[in-house]
Amino acid sequence: MTAIAFIGLGNMGGPMAANLLKAGHQVNVFDLSQEALSVLAQQGATACQSAQQCVTNADVVVTMLPAGKHVEFCYLSQKGIIHTMKPGALAIDSSTIDKATAVKVATALKEKGIEFVDAPVSGGVAGAAAGTLSFMVGGSEQEFGRARPVLEAMGKNIFHAGGHGAGQVAKVCNNMLLSILMAGTAEALQLGINNDLDPKVLSEIMLKSSGRNWTLELYNPCPGVQENVPSSNDYQGGFMVDLMAKDLGLAMDCALQSQSTTPMGALSRNLFSLHANQGNGTLDFSSIFKMYEKEGK
Ligand code: NAD
């Protein structure tokens, strides 16, 4: 049993903290939302009234916050947890943020004798609830080894991507590719539909041909082709367009900083931002399919 502090009990953090409790850890929790706090308290966590209080006795701190500015504020501000964490403790940040902030937080914590890994996740809210998330971890071998047993209570695949920030880079590379595959699959299916092909038949053909990819196999964007996917449920549930647009913004920052050429990623970022700006931000990202729709088809 490890004394764990968990900060950020939203769609992802709530079920992740619940899985740590189920694994028998002692978990202190904090969120700005009292409602989120009481849900976890009902499951056996100790609700705290500040982030600083939450981490005081923790051997491991897990944060699951919206974006880089929240992570920096939570760790490094005047009321940040850096001032009350125990020397020798380990911090695990599972938020999806920019590499620079992850490295900044890691460096500041190191000066206080506190270890850090960035450990963003893939698998969404369903994976968080089922405890089957994939973690992409950035940190030293020693830090990775220490984080691993804690992460195993919340996920299935735990990857060591490299040093601090490497987890965040792996995450944005994966999501940039996913967005390109989804937009390309939607485009190909609509081209077939506009030429009188049945999208079910076309999907079957492409699945057995060289266009096969994860979105066709498990997440077809055309309504009615597959059951139990967001496209067959009015694009509800799944992974929101707003979150994909956020991750693509991070991918573009990453490309800029490393002077990488990412023309497909840039196009994909623009497509998903436009789609979000047209009022589709809370739909699943496979709804990009609708952007290619031709009237009367
Ligand atoms: P969310 O908005 O549902 O939850 C964030 C929580 O953080 C909220 O409960 C909010 O009150 C809390 N919070 C914000 N600032 C705080 C502070 N200073 N102190 C304490 N609590 C604070 O977001 P989410 O969907 O749980 O996503 C969390 C992170 O995981 C994001 O970085 C997101 O990109 C990433 N992610 C999300 C998904 C997904 O499908 N939702 C999938 C993979 C990765």
Side-chain angles (χ1 to χ4, degrees):
M1 185 183 80
T2 307
I4 299 177
F6 202 113
I7 300 174
L9 308 166
N11 293 324
M12 296 293 290
M16 288 166 71
N19 281 329
L20 290 174
L21 284 165
K22 279 184 212 149
H25 296 296
Q26 187 226 312
V27 186
N28 279 3
V29 290
F30 176 69
D31 194 288
L32 299 176
S33 152
Q34 286 299 325
E35 198 187 325
L37 269 181
S38 44
V39 170
L40 264 295
Q42 278 161 21
Q43 297 177 60
T46 305
C48 301
Q49 289 312 310
S50 75
Q52 286 197 329
Q53 181 206 340
C54 186
V55 303
T56 313
N57 295 313
D59 296 314
V60 175
V61 172
V62 185
T63 46
M64 192 54 167
L65 298 165
K69 64 179 180 187
H70 306 95
V71 172
E72 186 167 347
F73 179 83
C74 179
Y75 281 92
L76 305 183
S77 67
Q78 228 176 7
K79 290 190 172 173
I81 57 177
I82 191 170
H83 306 296
T84 54
M85 278 183 75
K86 285 199 300 196
L90 168 73
I92 300 174
D93 179 43
S94 282
S95 327
T96 302
I97 66 168
D98 57 295
K99 176 186 168 188
T101 301
V103 172
K104 185 175 178 181
V105 172
T107 308
L109 290 177
K110 197 173 181 183
E111 279 171 21
K112 297 264 185 181
I114 299 165
E115 295 189 309
F116 175 87
V117 293
D118 44 295
V121 303
S122 175
V125 178
T132 56
L133 293 170
S134 291
F135 285 92
M136 307 163 207
V137 183
S140 67
E141 284 286 351
Q142 135 88 16
E143 288 167 327
F144 175 69
R146 207 174 151 196
R148 190 180 189 115
V150 177
L151 300 178
E152 276 170 351
M154 302 182 281
K156 217 165 149 191
N157 300 302
I158 323 287
F159 299 104
H160 188 196
H164 291 136
Q168 298 297 349
V169 176
K171 167 79 183 172
V172 296
C173 290
N174 179 71
N175 279 22
M176 185 178 84
L177 176 58
L178 172 63
S179 74
I180 294 167
L181 291 173
M182 183 57 88
T185 299
E187 189 175 314
L189 286 170
Q190 291 284 17
L191 176 65
I193 292 167
N194 291 343
N195 286 280
D196 303 321
L197 260 61
D198 178 338
K200 261 191 187 167
V201 174
L202 177 58
S203 295
E204 264 175 51
I205 293 170
M206 293 197 293
L207 266 173
K208 296 274 184 244
S209 307
S210 43
R212 178 178 176 184
N213 68 76
W214 185 88
T215 69
L216 260 183
E217 206 171 342
L218 297 171
Y219 217 101
N220 197 298
C222 177
V225 172
Q226 271 172 350
E227 285 175 16
N228 302 321
V229 290
S231 61
S232 295
N233 185 30
D234 288 330
Y235 297 105
Q236 299 302 309
F239 185 52
M240 282 195 302
V241 172
D242 277 342
L243 287 178
M244 180 54 96
K246 172 200 157 191
D247 289 358
L248 288 168
L250 291 172
M252 293 303 96
D253 287 347
C254 187
L256 199 63
Q257 266 152 33
S258 54
Q259 296 184 337
S260 304
T261 310
T262 52
M264 303 292 283
L267 178 57
S268 187
R269 187 207 166 238
N270 278 312
L271 285 173
F272 281 93
S273 299
L274 176 62
H275 192 48
N277 290 342
Q278 287 175 336
N280 302 301
T282 58
L283 297 181
D284 177 71
F285 80 115
S286 63
S287 63
I288 196 80
F289 181 79
K290 297 198 303 171
M291 190 183 266
Y292 300 88
E293 239 156 25
K294 200 172 147 192
E295 232 168 280
K297 275 287 173 185

Short mmCIF file of all heavy atoms in Angstrom, two decimals, residues 74-134:
data_model
loop_
_atom_site.label_atom_id
_atom_site.label_comp_id
_atom_site.label_asym_id
_atom_site.label_seq_id
_atom_site.Cartn_x
_atom_site.Cartn_y
_atom_site.Cartn_z
N CYS A 74 -0.35 24.30 -10.56
CA CYS A 74 -0.52 23.33 -9.47
C CYS A 74 0.81 22.99 -8.80
O CYS A 74 0.91 22.91 -7.58
CB CYS A 74 -1.18 22.07 -10.04
SG CYS A 74 -1.41 20.78 -8.81
N TYR A 75 1.86 22.84 -9.60
CA TYR A 75 3.16 22.45 -9.03
C TYR A 75 3.99 23.64 -8.55
O TYR A 75 4.56 23.61 -7.47
CB TYR A 75 3.99 21.67 -10.05
CG TYR A 75 3.59 20.22 -10.19
CD1 TYR A 75 2.65 19.83 -11.14
CD2 TYR A 75 4.16 19.23 -9.38
CE1 TYR A 75 2.28 18.50 -11.28
CE2 TYR A 75 3.79 17.90 -9.52
CZ TYR A 75 2.85 17.54 -10.46
OH TYR A 75 2.48 16.22 -10.58
N LEU A 76 4.06 24.71 -9.40
CA LEU A 76 5.12 25.69 -9.19
C LEU A 76 4.67 27.07 -8.71
O LEU A 76 5.51 27.92 -8.42
CB LEU A 76 5.92 25.87 -10.50
CG LEU A 76 6.51 24.59 -11.13
CD1 LEU A 76 7.33 24.95 -12.37
CD2 LEU A 76 7.37 23.82 -10.14
N SER A 77 3.36 27.34 -8.61
CA SER A 77 2.93 28.67 -8.18
C SER A 77 3.25 28.86 -6.70
O SER A 77 3.72 27.93 -6.03
CB SER A 77 1.42 28.83 -8.41
OG SER A 77 0.72 27.96 -7.55
N GLN A 78 2.95 30.08 -6.22
CA GLN A 78 3.23 30.38 -4.80
C GLN A 78 2.57 29.38 -3.87
O GLN A 78 3.12 29.01 -2.84
CB GLN A 78 2.72 31.79 -4.51
CG GLN A 78 3.74 32.62 -3.80
CD GLN A 78 3.23 34.04 -3.59
OE1 GLN A 78 2.08 34.37 -3.88
NE2 GLN A 78 4.09 34.89 -3.09
N LYS A 79 1.34 28.94 -4.28
CA LYS A 79 0.64 27.95 -3.45
C LYS A 79 0.83 26.55 -4.03
O LYS A 79 0.03 25.65 -3.78
CB LYS A 79 -0.85 28.30 -3.38
CG LYS A 79 -1.13 29.53 -2.56
CD LYS A 79 -2.62 29.68 -2.31
CE LYS A 79 -2.89 30.80 -1.33
NZ LYS A 79 -4.31 31.08 -1.19
N GLY A 80 1.86 26.38 -4.82
CA GLY A 80 2.08 25.13 -5.53
C GLY A 80 2.50 23.99 -4.60
O GLY A 80 3.04 24.21 -3.51
N ILE A 81 2.29 22.76 -5.08
CA ILE A 81 2.56 21.59 -4.23
C ILE A 81 4.06 21.34 -4.06
O ILE A 81 4.46 20.59 -3.19
CB ILE A 81 1.83 20.33 -4.77
CG1 ILE A 81 2.23 20.04 -6.21
CG2 ILE A 81 0.33 20.49 -4.63
CD1 ILE A 81 1.60 18.76 -6.78
N ILE A 82 4.89 21.99 -4.89
CA ILE A 82 6.35 21.83 -4.74
C ILE A 82 6.78 22.23 -3.32
O ILE A 82 7.75 21.69 -2.79
CB ILE A 82 7.11 22.67 -5.81
CG1 ILE A 82 8.59 22.31 -5.81
CG2 ILE A 82 6.90 24.17 -5.62
CD1 ILE A 82 9.37 22.90 -6.98
N HIS A 83 6.03 23.15 -2.71
CA HIS A 83 6.42 23.66 -1.39
C HIS A 83 6.04 22.71 -0.25
O HIS A 83 6.56 22.86 0.85
CB HIS A 83 5.78 25.04 -1.16
CG HIS A 83 6.10 26.01 -2.26
ND1 HIS A 83 7.37 26.43 -2.52
CD2 HIS A 83 5.30 26.61 -3.19
CE1 HIS A 83 7.36 27.26 -3.57
NE2 HIS A 83 6.11 27.37 -3.99
N THR A 84 5.11 21.77 -0.52
CA THR A 84 4.70 20.88 0.59
C THR A 84 4.93 19.40 0.29
O THR A 84 4.67 18.57 1.16
CB THR A 84 3.21 21.09 0.95
OG1 THR A 84 2.42 20.94 -0.22
CG2 THR A 84 2.96 22.46 1.57
N MET A 85 5.40 19.07 -0.91
CA MET A 85 5.69 17.65 -1.19
C MET A 85 6.91 17.21 -0.38
O MET A 85 7.83 17.99 -0.15
CB MET A 85 5.97 17.44 -2.69
CG MET A 85 4.72 17.31 -3.52
SD MET A 85 5.10 16.98 -5.27
CE MET A 85 5.59 15.26 -5.19
N LYS A 86 6.92 15.92 -0.01
CA LYS A 86 8.05 15.39 0.76
C LYS A 86 9.27 15.22 -0.13
O LYS A 86 9.13 14.70 -1.25
CB LYS A 86 7.69 13.98 1.28
CG LYS A 86 6.74 13.93 2.42
CD LYS A 86 6.78 12.59 3.15
CE LYS A 86 6.45 11.38 2.32
NZ LYS A 86 6.14 10.17 3.11
N PRO A 87 10.45 15.58 0.31
CA PRO A 87 11.65 15.24 -0.46
C PRO A 87 11.69 13.71 -0.60
O PRO A 87 11.33 12.99 0.34
CB PRO A 87 12.81 15.72 0.42
CG PRO A 87 12.21 16.70 1.36
CD PRO A 87 10.77 16.31 1.56
N GLY A 88 12.06 13.23 -1.77
CA GLY A 88 12.09 11.77 -1.98
C GLY A 88 10.79 11.25 -2.56
O GLY A 88 10.72 10.08 -2.97
N ALA A 89 9.76 12.10 -2.62
CA ALA A 89 8.48 11.65 -3.20
C ALA A 89 8.60 11.59 -4.72
O ALA A 89 9.59 12.07 -5.31
CB ALA A 89 7.36 12.60 -2.80
N LEU A 90 7.60 10.97 -5.35
CA LEU A 90 7.56 10.87 -6.81
C LEU A 90 6.29 11.54 -7.31
O LEU A 90 5.20 11.27 -6.79
CB LEU A 90 7.54 9.38 -7.23
CG LEU A 90 7.21 9.11 -8.70
CD1 LEU A 90 8.37 9.49 -9.62
CD2 LEU A 90 6.85 7.63 -8.90
N ALA A 91 6.42 12.41 -8.33
CA ALA A 91 5.24 13.03 -8.95
C ALA A 91 5.03 12.42 -10.33
O ALA A 91 5.98 12.25 -11.10
CB ALA A 91 5.46 14.54 -9.08
N ILE A 92 3.77 12.07 -10.61
CA ILE A 92 3.40 11.51 -11.92
C ILE A 92 2.38 12.46 -12.53
O ILE A 92 1.28 12.61 -11.99
CB ILE A 92 2.75 10.11 -11.75
CG1 ILE A 92 3.72 9.13 -11.08
CG2 ILE A 92 2.27 9.58 -13.10
CD1 ILE A 92 3.08 7.76 -10.75
N ASP A 93 2.73 13.11 -13.63
CA ASP A 93 1.72 13.97 -14.28
C ASP A 93 1.18 13.25 -15.51
O ASP A 93 1.92 13.02 -16.47
CB ASP A 93 2.31 15.33 -14.67
CG ASP A 93 1.25 16.17 -15.37
OD1 ASP A 93 0.10 16.19 -14.88
OD2 ASP A 93 1.55 16.78 -16.41
N SER A 94 -0.11 12.92 -15.47
CA SER A 94 -0.72 12.18 -16.58
C SER A 94 -1.53 13.08 -17.52
O SER A 94 -2.12 12.59 -18.47
CB SER A 94 -1.62 11.06 -16.03
OG SER A 94 -0.81 9.99 -15.62
N SER A 95 -1.53 14.38 -17.26
CA SER A 95 -2.22 15.32 -18.15
C SER A 95 -1.52 15.33 -19.51
O SER A 95 -0.33 15.01 -19.61
CB SER A 95 -2.15 16.75 -17.59
OG SER A 95 -2.16 16.75 -16.17
N THR A 96 -2.25 15.69 -20.57
CA THR A 96 -1.61 15.88 -21.88
C THR A 96 -1.20 17.34 -21.98
O THR A 96 -2.07 18.22 -22.04
CB THR A 96 -2.58 15.55 -23.03
OG1 THR A 96 -3.03 14.20 -22.86
CG2 THR A 96 -1.91 15.68 -24.38
N ILE A 97 0.10 17.61 -21.95
CA ILE A 97 0.58 18.99 -21.97
C ILE A 97 1.80 19.10 -22.89
O ILE A 97 2.24 18.11 -23.46
CB ILE A 97 0.94 19.48 -20.54
CG1 ILE A 97 2.14 18.70 -19.97
CG2 ILE A 97 -0.26 19.37 -19.61
CD1 ILE A 97 2.73 19.30 -18.70
N ASP A 98 2.36 20.31 -23.00
CA ASP A 98 3.54 20.50 -23.83
C ASP A 98 4.78 19.97 -23.13
O ASP A 98 4.88 19.98 -21.90
CB ASP A 98 3.70 21.99 -24.16
CG ASP A 98 3.79 22.82 -22.89
OD1 ASP A 98 2.80 22.87 -22.13
OD2 ASP A 98 4.86 23.39 -22.64
N LYS A 99 5.74 19.55 -23.97
CA LYS A 99 7.00 19.00 -23.46
C LYS A 99 7.75 20.01 -22.58
O LYS A 99 8.28 19.65 -21.53
CB LYS A 99 7.87 18.61 -24.67
CG LYS A 99 9.23 18.10 -24.33
CD LYS A 99 10.04 17.90 -25.62
CE LYS A 99 11.50 17.67 -25.32
NZ LYS A 99 12.34 17.66 -26.53
N ALA A 100 7.74 21.30 -22.99
CA ALA A 100 8.52 22.31 -22.26
C ALA A 100 8.05 22.44 -20.81
O ALA A 100 8.87 22.52 -19.89
CB ALA A 100 8.43 23.66 -22.98
N THR A 101 6.74 22.42 -20.61
CA THR A 101 6.22 22.53 -19.23
C THR A 101 6.59 21.29 -18.42
O THR A 101 6.96 21.39 -17.25
CB THR A 101 4.69 22.76 -19.24
OG1 THR A 101 4.42 23.96 -19.96
CG2 THR A 101 4.13 22.89 -17.84
N ALA A 102 6.50 20.12 -19.06
CA ALA A 102 6.87 18.88 -18.35
C ALA A 102 8.32 18.95 -17.89
O ALA A 102 8.64 18.62 -16.74
CB ALA A 102 6.65 17.67 -19.27
N VAL A 103 9.20 19.42 -18.77
CA VAL A 103 10.63 19.49 -18.42
C VAL A 103 10.86 20.55 -17.33
O VAL A 103 11.63 20.34 -16.39
CB VAL A 103 11.48 19.80 -19.69
CG1 VAL A 103 12.93 20.08 -19.34
CG2 VAL A 103 11.38 18.64 -20.69
N LYS A 104 10.14 21.69 -17.43
CA LYS A 104 10.27 22.76 -16.42
C LYS A 104 9.88 22.25 -15.03
O LYS A 104 10.59 22.49 -14.04
CB LYS A 104 9.37 23.94 -16.84
CG LYS A 104 9.50 25.16 -15.96
CD LYS A 104 8.66 26.30 -16.52
CE LYS A 104 8.75 27.51 -15.60
NZ LYS A 104 7.93 28.62 -16.09
N VAL A 105 8.76 21.54 -14.95
CA VAL A 105 8.29 21.02 -13.66
C VAL A 105 9.29 19.97 -13.14
O VAL A 105 9.67 19.99 -11.96
CB VAL A 105 6.87 20.42 -13.79
CG1 VAL A 105 6.46 19.70 -12.52
CG2 VAL A 105 5.86 21.53 -14.12
N ALA A 106 9.74 19.09 -14.03
CA ALA A 106 10.69 18.04 -13.63
C ALA A 106 11.97 18.66 -13.05
O ALA A 106 12.48 18.21 -12.01
CB ALA A 106 11.04 17.16 -14.84
N THR A 107 12.46 19.72 -13.71
CA THR A 107 13.72 20.35 -13.29
C THR A 107 13.55 21.03 -11.92
O THR A 107 14.41 20.91 -11.04
CB THR A 107 14.15 21.39 -14.35
OG1 THR A 107 14.16 20.72 -15.62
CG2 THR A 107 15.53 21.95 -14.07
N ALA A 108 12.42 21.73 -11.75
CA ALA A 108 12.17 22.43 -10.47
C ALA A 108 12.04 21.42 -9.33
O ALA A 108 12.58 21.63 -8.24
CB ALA A 108 10.92 23.28 -10.59
N LEU A 109 11.35 20.31 -9.59
CA LEU A 109 11.15 19.31 -8.53
C LEU A 109 12.48 18.65 -8.17
O LEU A 109 12.75 18.38 -6.99
CB LEU A 109 10.15 18.24 -8.98
CG LEU A 109 8.69 18.68 -9.10
CD1 LEU A 109 7.83 17.53 -9.62
CD2 LEU A 109 8.12 19.16 -7.77
N LYS A 110 13.31 18.40 -9.16
CA LYS A 110 14.60 17.74 -8.92
C LYS A 110 15.43 18.54 -7.93
O LYS A 110 16.11 17.96 -7.06
CB LYS A 110 15.34 17.59 -10.26
CG LYS A 110 16.45 16.59 -10.21
CD LYS A 110 17.04 16.34 -11.57
CE LYS A 110 18.14 15.29 -11.45
NZ LYS A 110 18.80 15.05 -12.71
N GLU A 111 15.37 19.87 -8.06
CA GLU A 111 16.13 20.72 -7.13
C GLU A 111 15.68 20.53 -5.68
O GLU A 111 16.41 20.84 -4.75
CB GLU A 111 15.98 22.20 -7.52
CG GLU A 111 16.89 22.58 -8.66
CD GLU A 111 16.60 23.96 -9.21
OE1 GLU A 111 16.00 24.78 -8.48
OE2 GLU A 111 16.98 24.20 -10.38
N LYS A 112 14.46 20.05 -5.51
CA LYS A 112 13.94 19.82 -4.14
C LYS A 112 14.07 18.35 -3.76
O LYS A 112 13.47 17.90 -2.77
CB LYS A 112 12.44 20.20 -4.09
CG LYS A 112 12.18 21.65 -4.37
CD LYS A 112 12.06 22.40 -3.07
CE LYS A 112 11.67 23.84 -3.31
NZ LYS A 112 11.58 24.60 -2.06
N GLY A 113 14.74 17.56 -4.59
CA GLY A 113 14.91 16.14 -4.29
C GLY A 113 13.66 15.32 -4.54
O GLY A 113 13.45 14.27 -3.94
N ILE A 114 12.81 15.81 -5.46
CA ILE A 114 11.56 15.10 -5.77
C ILE A 114 11.65 14.55 -7.20
O ILE A 114 12.09 15.26 -8.11
CB ILE A 114 10.34 16.06 -5.65
CG1 ILE A 114 10.23 16.60 -4.22
CG2 ILE A 114 9.05 15.37 -6.08
CD1 ILE A 114 9.31 17.80 -4.07
N GLU A 115 11.26 13.29 -7.37
CA GLU A 115 11.33 12.68 -8.71
C GLU A 115 10.05 12.98 -9.49
O GLU A 115 8.99 13.26 -8.90
CB GLU A 115 11.56 11.17 -8.58
CG GLU A 115 12.93 10.88 -7.96
CD GLU A 115 13.31 9.42 -7.99
OE1 GLU A 115 12.48 8.59 -7.55
OE2 GLU A 115 14.41 9.10 -8.44
N PHE A 116 10.14 12.88 -10.83
CA PHE A 116 9.00 13.24 -11.68
C PHE A 116 8.99 12.38 -12.94
O PHE A 116 10.03 12.08 -13.50
CB PHE A 116 9.13 14.72 -12.10
CG PHE A 116 8.07 15.19 -13.08
CD1 PHE A 116 6.84 15.67 -12.63
CD2 PHE A 116 8.29 15.14 -14.45
CE1 PHE A 116 5.86 16.10 -13.52
CE2 PHE A 116 7.32 15.58 -15.36
CZ PHE A 116 6.10 16.05 -14.88
N VAL A 117 7.79 11.97 -13.35
CA VAL A 117 7.62 11.43 -14.71
C VAL A 117 6.42 12.12 -15.36
O VAL A 117 5.43 12.43 -14.68
CB VAL A 117 7.39 9.90 -14.76
CG1 VAL A 117 8.62 9.13 -14.32
CG2 VAL A 117 6.17 9.46 -13.96
N ASP A 118 6.53 12.38 -16.67
CA ASP A 118 5.33 12.73 -17.43
C ASP A 118 4.78 11.40 -17.91
O ASP A 118 5.54 10.54 -18.38
CB ASP A 118 5.62 13.70 -18.59
CG ASP A 118 6.86 13.35 -19.40
OD1 ASP A 118 7.97 13.41 -18.84
OD2 ASP A 118 6.71 13.00 -20.60
N ALA A 119 3.47 11.20 -17.77
CA ALA A 119 2.88 9.90 -18.11
C ALA A 119 1.50 10.10 -18.73
O ALA A 119 0.48 9.67 -18.16
CB ALA A 119 2.80 9.01 -16.87
N PRO A 120 1.43 10.78 -19.89
CA PRO A 120 0.12 10.96 -20.54
C PRO A 120 -0.46 9.62 -20.97
O PRO A 120 0.27 8.63 -21.08
CB PRO A 120 0.44 11.85 -21.74
CG PRO A 120 1.87 11.63 -22.02
CD PRO A 120 2.52 11.34 -20.70
N VAL A 121 -1.77 9.62 -21.22
CA VAL A 121 -2.46 8.35 -21.45
C VAL A 121 -3.18 8.32 -22.78
O VAL A 121 -3.52 9.35 -23.36
CB VAL A 121 -3.51 8.07 -20.34
CG1 VAL A 121 -2.86 8.08 -18.98
CG2 VAL A 121 -4.65 9.08 -20.39
N SER A 122 -3.44 7.11 -23.22
CA SER A 122 -4.31 6.88 -24.36
C SER A 122 -5.34 5.84 -23.90
O SER A 122 -5.01 4.96 -23.10
CB SER A 122 -3.47 6.33 -25.52
OG SER A 122 -4.29 6.00 -26.60
N GLY A 123 -6.56 5.96 -24.40
CA GLY A 123 -7.57 4.96 -24.00
C GLY A 123 -8.88 5.60 -23.59
O GLY A 123 -9.89 4.91 -23.47
N GLY A 124 -8.88 6.91 -23.36
CA GLY A 124 -10.12 7.63 -23.10
C GLY A 124 -10.79 7.29 -21.78
O GLY A 124 -10.24 6.57 -20.93
N VAL A 125 -12.02 7.80 -21.64
CA VAL A 125 -12.76 7.66 -20.39
C VAL A 125 -13.08 6.18 -20.12
O VAL A 125 -13.00 5.71 -18.98
CB VAL A 125 -14.05 8.51 -20.44
CG1 VAL A 125 -14.87 8.34 -19.19
CG2 VAL A 125 -13.70 9.99 -20.65
N ALA A 126 -13.39 5.43 -21.18
CA ALA A 126 -13.71 4.00 -21.01
C ALA A 126 -12.48 3.26 -20.49
O ALA A 126 -12.58 2.43 -19.57
CB ALA A 126 -14.17 3.40 -22.34
N GLY A 127 -11.31 3.58 -21.03
CA GLY A 127 -10.06 2.93 -20.59
C GLY A 127 -9.72 3.32 -19.16
O GLY A 127 -9.19 2.50 -18.39
N ALA A 128 -10.03 4.58 -18.79
CA ALA A 128 -9.76 5.03 -17.42
C ALA A 128 -10.64 4.24 -16.44
O ALA A 128 -10.18 3.80 -15.39
CB ALA A 128 -10.02 6.52 -17.29
N ALA A 129 -11.90 4.04 -16.81
CA ALA A 129 -12.83 3.32 -15.93
C ALA A 129 -12.45 1.84 -15.83
O ALA A 129 -12.49 1.24 -14.75
CB ALA A 129 -14.26 3.47 -16.44
N ALA A 130 -12.06 1.26 -16.95
CA ALA A 130 -11.74 -0.18 -16.96
C ALA A 130 -10.33 -0.48 -16.45
O ALA A 130 -9.99 -1.65 -16.24
CB ALA A 130 -11.89 -0.71 -18.40
N GLY A 131 -9.52 0.55 -16.26
CA GLY A 131 -8.14 0.33 -15.81
C GLY A 131 -7.27 -0.25 -16.91
O GLY A 131 -6.33 -0.99 -16.64
N THR A 132 -7.58 0.11 -18.16
CA THR A 132 -6.84 -0.45 -19.30
C THR A 132 -6.09 0.62 -20.10
O THR A 132 -5.81 0.43 -21.27
CB THR A 132 -7.80 -1.20 -20.24
OG1 THR A 132 -8.84 -0.29 -20.65
CG2 THR A 132 -8.44 -2.40 -19.58
N LEU A 133 -5.80 1.75 -19.47
CA LEU A 133 -5.12 2.84 -20.20
C LEU A 133 -3.73 2.42 -20.67
O LEU A 133 -3.12 1.52 -20.07
CB LEU A 133 -4.97 4.05 -19.27
CG LEU A 133 -6.27 4.76 -18.85
CD1 LEU A 133 -5.98 5.78 -17.75
CD2 LEU A 133 -6.90 5.46 -20.06
N SER A 134 -3.25 3.07 -21.73
CA SER A 134 -1.83 2.98 -22.09
C SER A 134 -1.15 4.22 -21.54
O SER A 134 -1.67 5.33 -21.70
CB SER A 134 -1.65 2.96 -23.61
OG SER A 134 -2.14 1.76 -24.12
#
